[in-house]
Coordinates of all heavy atoms in Angstrom, one line a residue:
M1 N 118.3 115.5 94.8 CA 118.7 116.7 95.5 C 117.5 117.3 96.4 O 116.4 117.5 95.9 CB 119.0 117.8 94.4 CG 119.4 119.1 94.9 SD 119.9 120.2 93.6 CE 119.2 121.7 94.1
E2 N 117.7 117.3 97.6 CA 116.8 117.7 98.6 C 116.5 119.1 98.4 O 117.3 120.0 98.2 CB 117.2 117.4 100.0 CG 116.1 117.6 101.0 CD 116.4 117.1 102.4 OE1 117.5 116.4 102.5 OE2 115.7 117.4 103.3
R3 N 115.2 119.5 98.5 CA 114.8 120.9 98.3 C 114.4 121.5 99.6 O 113.2 121.6 100.1 CB 113.5 121.0 97.3 CG 113.8 120.5 96.0 CD 112.6 120.6 95.0 NE 113.0 120.3 93.7 CZ 112.6 119.2 93.1 NH1 111.8 118.3 93.8 NH2 112.8 118.9 91.9
K4 N 115.4 121.8 100.4 CA 115.3 122.4 101.8 C 114.5 123.6 101.8 O 113.8 123.9 102.8 CB 116.6 122.5 102.4 CG 117.4 121.2 102.6 CD 118.7 121.4 103.3 CE 119.4 120.1 103.5 NZ 120.7 120.2 104.1
A5 N 114.6 124.4 100.7 CA 113.8 125.7 100.7 C 112.3 125.4 100.8 O 111.5 126.2 101.3 CB 114.1 126.4 99.5
F6 N 111.9 124.3 100.2 CA 110.5 123.9 100.2 C 110.0 123.7 101.6 O 109.0 124.1 102.1 CB 110.2 122.7 99.4 CG 109.7 123.1 98.0 CD1 110.7 122.9 97.0 CD2 108.5 123.5 97.7 CE1 110.3 123.3 95.6 CE2 108.1 123.8 96.4 CZ 109.0 123.7 95.4
T7 N 110.8 122.9 102.4 CA 110.5 122.5 103.7 C 110.4 123.8 104.6 O 109.5 123.9 105.3 CB 111.5 121.5 104.3 OG1 111.6 120.4 103.4 CG2 111.1 121.1 105.7
Q8 N 111.3 124.7 104.4 CA 111.4 125.9 105.1 C 110.2 126.8 104.8 O 109.6 127.4 105.6 CB 112.7 126.7 104.9 CG 113.9 126.0 105.4 CD 115.2 126.7 104.9 OE1 115.2 127.4 104.0 NE2 116.3 126.2 105.6
L9 N 109.8 126.9 103.5 CA 108.7 127.7 103.0 C 107.4 127.2 103.6 O 106.6 127.8 104.1 CB 108.6 127.7 101.5 CG 107.6 128.6 100.8 CD1 107.8 130.1 101.3 CD2 107.7 128.5 99.3
R10 N 107.3 125.8 103.6 CA 106.1 125.2 104.2 C 105.9 125.4 105.6 O 104.9 125.8 106.1 CB 106.1 123.7 103.8 CG 104.9 122.9 104.5 CD 105.0 121.4 104.1 NE 106.2 120.7 104.4 CZ 106.6 120.4 105.6 NH1 105.8 120.6 106.7 NH2 107.8 119.7 105.8
K11 N 107.1 125.3 106.4 CA 107.1 125.5 107.8 C 106.8 127.0 108.2 O 106.2 127.3 109.1 CB 108.4 125.0 108.4 CG 108.4 123.5 108.5 CD 109.7 123.0 109.0 CE 109.7 121.5 109.1 NZ 110.9 120.9 109.8
K12 N 107.3 127.9 107.2 CA 107.1 129.3 107.5 C 105.6 129.6 107.4 O 105.1 130.5 108.2 CB 107.8 130.1 106.4 CG 107.6 131.6 106.5 CD 108.4 132.3 105.3 CE 108.1 133.8 105.3 NZ 108.6 134.4 104.1
H13 N 104.9 128.9 106.6 CA 103.5 129.0 106.5 C 102.7 128.1 107.5 O 101.5 128.0 107.5 CB 103.0 128.7 105.1 CG 103.2 129.8 104.1 ND1 104.5 130.0 103.5 CD2 102.5 130.8 103.7 CE1 104.4 131.0 102.7 NE2 103.2 131.5 102.8
Q14 N 103.5 127.5 108.5 CA 103.0 126.7 109.5 C 102.1 125.6 109.0 O 101.0 125.4 109.5 CB 102.2 127.6 110.6 CG 103.1 128.6 111.2 CD 102.5 129.5 112.2 OE1 101.2 129.7 112.1 NE2 103.2 130.1 113.2
L15 N 102.5 124.9 108.0 CA 101.8 123.8 107.4 C 102.5 122.5 107.5 O 103.8 122.5 107.5 CB 101.6 124.1 105.9 CG 100.7 125.2 105.6 CD1 100.8 125.5 104.0 CD2 99.2 125.0 105.9
T16 N 101.8 121.5 107.8 CA 102.4 120.1 107.7 C 102.3 119.6 106.2 O 101.7 120.3 105.4 CB 101.6 119.1 108.5 OG1 100.2 119.0 108.0 CG2 101.5 119.5 110.0
Q17 N 103.1 118.6 105.9 CA 103.0 118.1 104.5 C 101.6 117.7 104.2 O 101.1 118.0 103.1 CB 104.0 116.9 104.4 CG 105.4 117.3 104.4 CD 106.4 116.1 104.3 OE1 106.0 115.0 104.7 NE2 107.6 116.3 103.9
Q18 N 100.9 117.1 105.2 CA 99.5 116.7 104.9 C 98.6 117.9 104.6 O 97.8 117.9 103.7 CB 99.0 115.9 106.1 CG 97.6 115.3 105.9 CD 97.2 114.5 107.1 OE1 97.8 114.5 108.2 NE2 96.1 113.7 106.9
E19 N 98.8 119.0 105.4 CA 97.9 120.2 105.2 C 98.2 120.8 103.8 O 97.4 121.2 103.2 CB 98.1 121.2 106.3 CG 97.7 120.7 107.6 CD 98.1 121.5 108.8 OE1 99.2 122.2 108.7 OE2 97.5 121.7 109.9
L20 N 99.5 120.9 103.4 CA 99.9 121.4 102.2 C 99.3 120.6 101.1 O 98.8 121.2 100.1 CB 101.4 121.6 102.1 CG 101.9 122.1 100.7 CD1 101.3 123.6 100.4 CD2 103.4 122.1 100.7
A21 N 99.4 119.3 101.1 CA 98.9 118.4 100.2 C 97.4 118.7 99.9 O 97.0 118.7 98.8 CB 99.2 117.0 100.6
K22 N 96.7 118.8 101.0 CA 95.3 119.1 100.9 C 95.0 120.4 100.2 O 94.1 120.5 99.3 CB 94.6 119.0 102.3 CG 93.1 119.2 102.3 CD 92.6 119.0 103.7 CE 91.0 119.1 103.6 NZ 90.4 119.0 105.0
E23 N 95.8 121.4 100.5 CA 95.6 122.8 100.0 C 95.9 122.7 98.4 O 95.3 123.4 97.6 CB 96.6 123.7 100.6 CG 96.1 124.1 102.0 CD 94.9 125.0 102.0 OE1 94.6 125.8 101.1 OE2 94.2 125.0 103.1
L24 N 96.9 121.9 98.0 CA 97.3 121.9 96.6 C 96.5 120.8 95.8 O 96.5 120.7 94.6 CB 98.8 121.5 96.5 CG 99.7 122.6 97.1 CD1 101.2 122.1 97.0 CD2 99.5 123.9 96.5
G25 N 95.7 119.9 96.5 CA 95.0 118.9 95.9 C 95.9 117.7 95.3 O 95.7 117.2 94.3
I26 N 97.0 117.5 96.1 CA 97.9 116.4 95.7 C 98.1 115.5 96.9 O 97.7 115.8 98.1 CB 99.3 116.9 95.2 CG1 100.0 117.8 96.2 CG2 99.0 117.7 93.9 CD1 101.4 118.3 95.7
S27 N 98.7 114.3 96.8 CA 99.0 113.5 97.9 C 100.1 113.9 98.8 O 101.0 114.7 98.4 CB 99.3 112.0 97.4 OG 100.6 112.0 96.9
T28 N 100.0 113.5 100.1 CA 101.0 113.8 101.0 C 102.3 113.2 100.6 O 103.4 113.8 100.8 CB 100.6 113.3 102.4 OG1 99.4 113.9 102.8 CG2 101.6 113.6 103.5
I29 N 102.3 112.0 100.1 CA 103.4 111.3 99.6 C 104.1 112.0 98.5 O 105.4 112.3 98.5 CB 103.1 109.8 99.2 CG1 102.7 109.0 100.4 CG2 104.3 109.2 98.5 CD1 102.1 107.7 100.0
Y30 N 103.4 112.7 97.6 CA 103.9 113.5 96.5 C 104.6 114.7 97.1 O 105.8 115.1 96.6 CB 102.8 113.8 95.5 CG 103.2 114.3 94.2 CD1 104.4 113.9 93.6 CD2 102.5 115.3 93.6 CE1 104.9 114.4 92.3 CE2 102.8 115.7 92.3 CZ 104.1 115.3 91.7 OH 104.4 115.8 90.4
V31 N 104.0 115.4 98.0 CA 104.6 116.5 98.7 C 105.9 116.1 99.2 O 107.0 116.9 99.1 CB 103.7 117.2 99.8 CG1 104.5 118.2 100.6 CG2 102.5 117.8 99.1
R32 N 105.9 115.0 100.0 CA 107.2 114.5 100.6 C 108.3 114.3 99.6 O 109.4 114.6 99.8 CB 106.9 113.2 101.4 CG 108.1 112.7 102.3 CD 107.7 111.5 103.0 NE 106.5 111.7 103.9 CZ 105.4 110.9 103.8 NH1 105.4 110.0 102.9 NH2 104.3 111.2 104.5
K33 N 107.9 113.6 98.5 CA 108.8 113.3 97.4 C 109.4 114.5 96.8 O 110.6 114.6 96.4 CB 108.2 112.3 96.4 CG 108.1 110.9 96.9 CD 107.5 110.0 95.8 CE 107.5 108.5 96.3 NZ 107.1 107.7 95.2
I34 N 108.6 115.5 96.6 CA 109.0 116.8 96.0 C 110.0 117.5 96.9 O 111.1 117.9 96.5 CB 107.8 117.7 95.6 CG1 107.0 117.1 94.5 CG2 108.3 119.1 95.3 CD1 105.7 117.9 94.3
E35 N 109.7 117.5 98.2 CA 110.6 118.2 99.1 C 112.0 117.4 99.3 O 113.0 118.0 99.3 CB 110.0 118.2 100.5 CG 108.9 119.3 100.7 CD 108.3 119.4 102.0 OE1 108.9 118.9 103.0 OE2 107.3 120.1 102.2
K36 N 111.9 116.1 99.2 CA 113.1 115.3 99.3 C 114.0 115.3 98.0 O 115.1 114.9 97.9 CB 112.8 113.8 99.6 CG 112.3 113.7 101.1 CD 113.5 113.4 102.0 CE 112.9 113.1 103.3 NZ 113.9 113.2 104.3
G37 N 113.3 115.8 96.9 CA 114.0 115.7 95.6 C 113.9 114.4 94.9 O 114.5 114.1 94.0
D38 N 113.0 113.5 95.5 CA 112.8 112.2 94.9 C 111.9 112.1 93.7 O 111.7 111.2 92.9 CB 112.3 111.2 95.9 CG 113.3 110.9 97.0 OD1 114.5 111.1 96.8 OD2 112.9 110.5 98.1
A39 N 111.1 113.4 93.5 CA 110.2 113.4 92.4 C 110.3 114.9 91.9 O 110.4 115.8 92.7 CB 108.8 113.1 92.8
D40 N 110.2 115.1 90.6 CA 110.1 116.3 90.0 C 108.6 116.5 89.6 O 108.1 115.7 88.9 CB 110.9 116.5 88.7 CG 112.4 116.5 89.0 OD1 112.8 116.9 90.2 OD2 113.2 116.2 88.1
P41 N 108.0 117.7 90.1 CA 106.6 117.9 89.8 C 106.4 118.2 88.4 O 107.3 118.8 87.7 CB 106.3 119.0 90.8 CG 107.5 119.8 90.9 CD 108.6 118.7 90.8
G42 N 105.2 117.9 87.9 CA 104.8 118.4 86.5 C 104.4 119.8 86.6 O 104.4 120.4 87.6
R43 N 104.2 120.3 85.4 CA 103.8 121.7 85.3 C 102.6 122.2 86.0 O 102.6 123.2 86.7 CB 103.6 122.0 83.7 CG 103.1 123.5 83.5 CD 104.1 124.3 82.6 NE 103.5 125.6 82.3 CZ 103.8 126.6 83.0 NH1 104.7 126.6 84.0 NH2 103.3 127.9 82.7
D44 N 101.6 121.4 86.0 CA 100.4 121.7 86.8 C 100.7 121.9 88.3 O 100.2 122.7 88.9 CB 99.3 120.7 86.5 CG 98.7 120.7 85.2 OD1 98.9 121.7 84.4 OD2 98.0 119.8 84.7
T45 N 101.5 120.9 88.7 CA 101.8 120.9 90.2 C 102.7 122.1 90.5 O 102.5 122.8 91.5 CB 102.5 119.6 90.6 OG1 101.6 118.6 90.3 CG2 102.8 119.6 92.1
M46 N 103.6 122.4 89.6 CA 104.4 123.6 89.9 C 103.7 124.9 89.9 O 103.9 125.7 90.8 CB 105.5 123.7 88.8 CG 106.7 122.7 89.0 SD 108.1 122.9 87.9 CE 107.5 122.4 86.3
V47 N 102.7 124.9 89.1 CA 101.7 126.1 89.0 C 101.0 126.2 90.4 O 100.8 127.3 90.9 CB 100.8 126.1 87.8 CG1 99.7 127.2 87.9 CG2 101.7 126.3 86.5
K48 N 100.5 125.0 90.8 CA 99.8 125.0 92.1 C 100.7 125.6 93.3 O 100.3 126.4 94.1 CB 99.3 123.6 92.5 CG 98.3 123.2 91.6 CD 97.9 121.7 92.0 CE 96.7 121.1 91.1 NZ 96.4 119.7 91.4
Y49 N 102.0 125.2 93.3 CA 102.9 125.7 94.3 C 103.0 127.2 94.1 O 103.1 128.0 95.1 CB 104.2 125.0 94.1 CG 104.4 123.7 95.0 CD1 104.0 122.5 94.4 CD2 104.9 123.8 96.3 CE1 104.2 121.3 95.3 CE2 105.0 122.6 97.0 CZ 104.7 121.4 96.5 OH 104.9 120.3 97.2
E50 N 103.3 127.6 92.8 CA 103.5 129.1 92.5 C 102.3 129.9 93.0 O 102.5 130.9 93.7 CB 103.6 129.2 91.0 CG 103.8 130.7 90.6 CD 104.0 130.8 89.1 OE1 103.1 130.3 88.3 OE2 104.9 131.5 88.7
L51 N 101.1 129.5 92.7 CA 99.9 130.3 93.1 C 99.8 130.2 94.6 O 99.4 131.3 95.3 CB 98.7 129.7 92.4 CG 98.7 129.9 90.9 CD1 97.5 129.2 90.2 CD2 98.7 131.4 90.6
F52 N 99.9 129.1 95.3 CA 99.7 129.0 96.7 C 100.7 129.8 97.5 O 100.3 130.6 98.4 CB 99.8 127.5 97.1 CG 99.5 127.3 98.5 CD1 98.2 127.3 99.0 CD2 100.5 127.3 99.5 CE1 97.9 127.2 100.4 CE2 100.3 127.1 100.9 CZ 98.9 127.1 101.3
F53 N 102.0 129.7 97.1 CA 103.0 130.4 97.9 C 103.4 131.9 97.3 O 104.1 132.6 97.8 CB 104.3 129.6 97.9 CG 104.3 128.4 98.8 CD1 104.3 127.2 98.3 CD2 104.1 128.6 100.2 CE1 104.3 126.1 99.1 CE2 104.0 127.5 101.0 CZ 104.1 126.2 100.5
N54 N 102.7 132.2 96.1 CA 102.9 133.5 95.5 C 104.4 133.7 95.2 O 104.9 134.8 95.5 CB 102.3 134.6 96.3 CG 102.1 135.9 95.5 OD1 102.0 135.8 94.3 ND2 102.2 136.9 96.1
E55 N 105.1 132.6 94.7 CA 106.5 132.7 94.3 C 106.6 132.3 92.8 O 105.9 131.4 92.4 CB 107.3 131.8 95.2 CG 107.3 132.2 96.7 CD 108.3 133.3 97.0 OE1 109.2 133.6 96.1 OE2 108.2 133.9 98.1
D56 N 107.5 132.8 92.1 CA 107.8 132.4 90.8 C 108.3 131.0 90.7 O 109.1 130.5 91.5 CB 108.9 133.4 90.2 CG 109.2 133.1 88.8 OD1 108.4 133.4 87.9 OD2 110.3 132.6 88.4
I57 N 107.8 130.3 89.7 CA 108.2 128.9 89.5 C 109.6 128.7 89.4 O 110.2 127.7 90.0 CB 107.5 128.3 88.2 CG1 106.0 128.2 88.4 CG2 108.1 126.9 87.8 CD1 105.3 127.7 87.1
K58 N 110.4 129.6 88.7 CA 111.8 129.4 88.6 C 112.6 129.6 89.9 O 113.6 129.0 90.1 CB 112.4 130.4 87.5 CG 112.0 130.0 86.1 CD 112.7 130.8 85.1 CE 112.3 130.5 83.7 NZ 113.1 131.1 82.7
K59 N 112.0 130.4 90.8 CA 112.6 130.5 92.1 C 112.3 129.3 93.0 O 113.1 128.9 93.7 CB 112.0 131.8 92.7 CG 112.6 132.1 94.1 CD 112.1 133.4 94.6 CE 112.7 133.7 96.0 NZ 112.1 134.9 96.6
L60 N 111.1 128.7 92.8 CA 110.7 127.6 93.6 C 111.4 126.3 93.2 O 111.7 125.4 93.9 CB 109.2 127.3 93.5 CG 108.3 128.4 94.2 CD1 106.8 128.1 93.8 CD2 108.5 128.3 95.8
F61 N 111.7 126.2 91.9 CA 112.2 125.0 91.3 C 113.5 125.3 90.5 O 113.6 125.0 89.3 CB 111.2 124.3 90.5 CG 110.0 123.9 91.1 CD1 108.8 124.6 91.1 CD2 110.0 122.6 91.9 CE1 107.7 124.2 91.7 CE2 108.9 122.2 92.6 CZ 107.7 123.0 92.5
P62 N 114.5 126.0 91.0 CA 115.6 126.3 90.3 C 116.4 125.2 89.7 O 116.9 125.2 88.6 CB 116.5 127.1 91.3 CG 116.1 126.6 92.7 CD 114.6 126.3 92.5
D63 N 116.4 124.0 90.4 CA 117.1 122.9 89.9 C 116.5 122.3 88.6 O 117.2 121.9 87.7 CB 117.1 121.8 91.0 CG 115.7 121.3 91.5 OD1 114.9 122.2 91.8 OD2 115.4 120.2 91.5
I64 N 115.1 122.4 88.5 CA 114.5 122.0 87.2 C 114.7 123.0 86.2 O 115.2 122.5 85.0 CB 113.0 121.8 87.5 CG1 112.8 120.7 88.5 CG2 112.2 121.5 86.2 CD1 111.4 120.5 88.9
F65 N 114.6 124.2 86.4 CA 114.7 125.2 85.3 C 116.2 125.4 84.9 O 116.4 125.7 83.8 CB 114.1 126.5 85.7 CG 112.6 126.4 85.6 CD1 111.8 126.0 86.7 CD2 111.9 126.6 84.4 CE1 110.4 126.0 86.6 CE2 110.6 126.5 84.2 CZ 109.8 126.2 85.4
Y66 N 117.1 125.2 85.8 CA 118.5 125.3 85.4 C 118.9 124.2 84.5 O 119.5 124.4 83.5 CB 119.5 125.1 86.7 CG 120.9 125.1 86.3 CD1 121.6 126.2 86.0 CD2 121.6 123.8 86.4 CE1 122.9 126.2 85.7 CE2 122.9 123.8 86.0 CZ 123.6 125.0 85.7 OH 124.9 125.0 85.3
A67 N 118.3 123.0 84.7 CA 118.5 121.8 83.8 C 117.9 122.1 82.4 O 118.5 121.8 81.3 CB 118.0 120.6 84.3
I68 N 116.7 122.7 82.4 CA 116.0 123.0 81.1 C 116.8 124.1 80.3 O 117.0 124.0 79.2 CB 114.6 123.5 81.3 CG1 113.7 122.3 81.9 CG2 114.0 124.1 80.1 CD1 112.4 122.7 82.4
D69 N 117.2 125.1 81.1 CA 118.0 126.3 80.4 C 119.3 125.7 79.9 O 119.7 126.1 78.8 CB 118.3 127.4 81.4 CG 117.0 128.1 81.8 OD1 116.0 128.0 81.0 OD2 117.0 128.9 82.8
K70 N 119.9 124.8 80.6 CA 121.2 124.2 80.2 C 121.0 123.4 78.9 O 121.8 123.5 78.0 CB 121.8 123.4 81.3 CG 123.2 123.0 81.0 CD 124.0 122.8 82.3 CE 125.5 122.4 82.0 NZ 126.3 123.6 81.9
E71 N 119.9 122.6 78.8 CA 119.6 121.9 77.7 C 119.4 122.8 76.4 O 119.9 122.5 75.4 CB 118.4 121.0 77.9 CG 118.6 119.8 78.7 CD 117.4 119.0 78.9 OE1 116.4 119.1 78.1 OE2 117.2 118.2 79.9
K72 N 118.7 123.8 76.7 CA 118.4 124.8 75.5 C 119.7 125.4 75.0 O 120.0 125.5 73.8 CB 117.5 125.9 76.0 CG 116.0 125.4 76.1 CD 115.2 126.6 76.5 CE 113.7 126.2 76.8 NZ 112.9 127.3 77.3
Q73 N 120.6 125.7 76.0 CA 121.9 126.3 75.6 C 122.7 125.2 74.8 O 123.3 125.6 73.8 CB 122.6 126.7 76.8 CG 124.0 127.4 76.6 CD 124.7 127.8 77.9 OE1 124.4 127.3 78.9 NE2 125.7 128.7 77.7
N74 N 122.7 123.9 75.2 CA 123.4 122.9 74.5 C 122.9 122.8 73.2 O 123.6 122.5 72.2 CB 123.5 121.7 75.3 CG 124.4 121.7 76.6 OD1 125.2 122.6 76.6 ND2 124.1 120.8 77.5
D75 N 121.5 122.8 73.0 CA 120.9 122.6 71.7 C 121.4 123.8 70.7 O 121.6 123.4 69.6 CB 119.4 122.7 71.8 CG 118.8 121.4 72.4 OD1 119.6 120.4 72.5 OD2 117.7 121.3 72.9
K76 N 121.5 125.0 71.2 CA 121.9 126.1 70.4 C 123.3 126.0 70.0 O 123.7 126.3 68.9 CB 121.7 127.4 71.2 CG 120.4 127.8 71.3 CD 120.2 129.2 72.1 CE 118.8 129.5 72.3 NZ 118.6 130.8 73.2
E77 N 124.1 125.4 70.8 CA 125.6 125.2 70.5 C 125.7 124.1 69.4 O 126.6 124.2 68.6 CB 126.3 124.8 71.7 CG 126.5 125.9 72.7 CD 127.2 125.5 74.0 OE1 127.5 124.3 74.1 OE2 127.2 126.3 74.9
V78 N 124.8 123.2 69.3 CA 124.9 122.0 68.2 C 124.5 122.5 67.0 O 125.0 122.1 66.0 CB 124.0 120.8 68.8 CG1 123.9 119.8 67.7 CG2 124.5 120.2 70.1
I79 N 123.6 123.5 66.9 CA 123.0 124.0 65.6 C 124.0 124.7 64.8 O 124.9 125.2 65.0 CB 121.8 124.8 65.9 CG1 120.7 124.0 66.4 CG2 121.3 125.5 64.6 CD1 119.5 124.7 66.8

């Protein structure tokens, strides 16, 4: 699932993928994969995005947190 909001947010800050990668201390390829939805970032990377863009993690990564919340809900239904 492509994360178009990330691309828009990055461009709003007038950054290339390479510049953002340097700011976050991650690879350009990783930034590209996160934006395309080909990779889900780990917690540390999500926090880097959150701090850099000053946006809540759940707002930045709704697809990831929706899946986690849904799993928790399913676990409660099983109990």
Side-chain angles (χ1 to χ4, degrees):
M1 177 175 143
E2 190 169 350
R3 297 181 175 109
K4 293 179 183 179
F6 267 102
T7 305
Q8 293 169 349
L9 187 58
R10 176 178 54 76
K11 288 181 179 181
K12 179 181 174 186
H13 285 81
Q14 299 177 335
L15 295 168
T16 64
Q17 288 178 336
Q18 186 176 12
E19 291 167 334
L20 178 59
K22 186 175 181 178
E23 290 288 334
L24 299 179
I26 60 178
S27 74
T28 304
I29 293 170
Y30 195 31
V31 169
R32 185 177 311 122
K33 286 183 175 187
I34 290 170
E35 285 185 11
K36 291 269 187 199
D38 293 338
D40 289 335
R43 173 118 173 100
D44 290 344
T45 302
M46 286 192 284
V47 170
K48 288 178 183 183
Y49 271 90
E50 178 182 48
L51 294 173
F52 184 79
F53 288 116
N54 196 28
E55 294 280 344
D56 184 72
I57 290 177
K58 288 186 177 186
K59 185 177 176 185
L60 290 171
F61 300 97
D63 56 313
I64 293 172
F65 284 93
Y66 175 76
I68 291 170
D69 290 343
K70 190 151 180 87
E71 282 180 25
K72 286 181 183 178
Q73 184 180 17
N74 288 341
D75 288 346
K76 288 179 184 177
E77 290 173 2
V78 172
I79 294 175

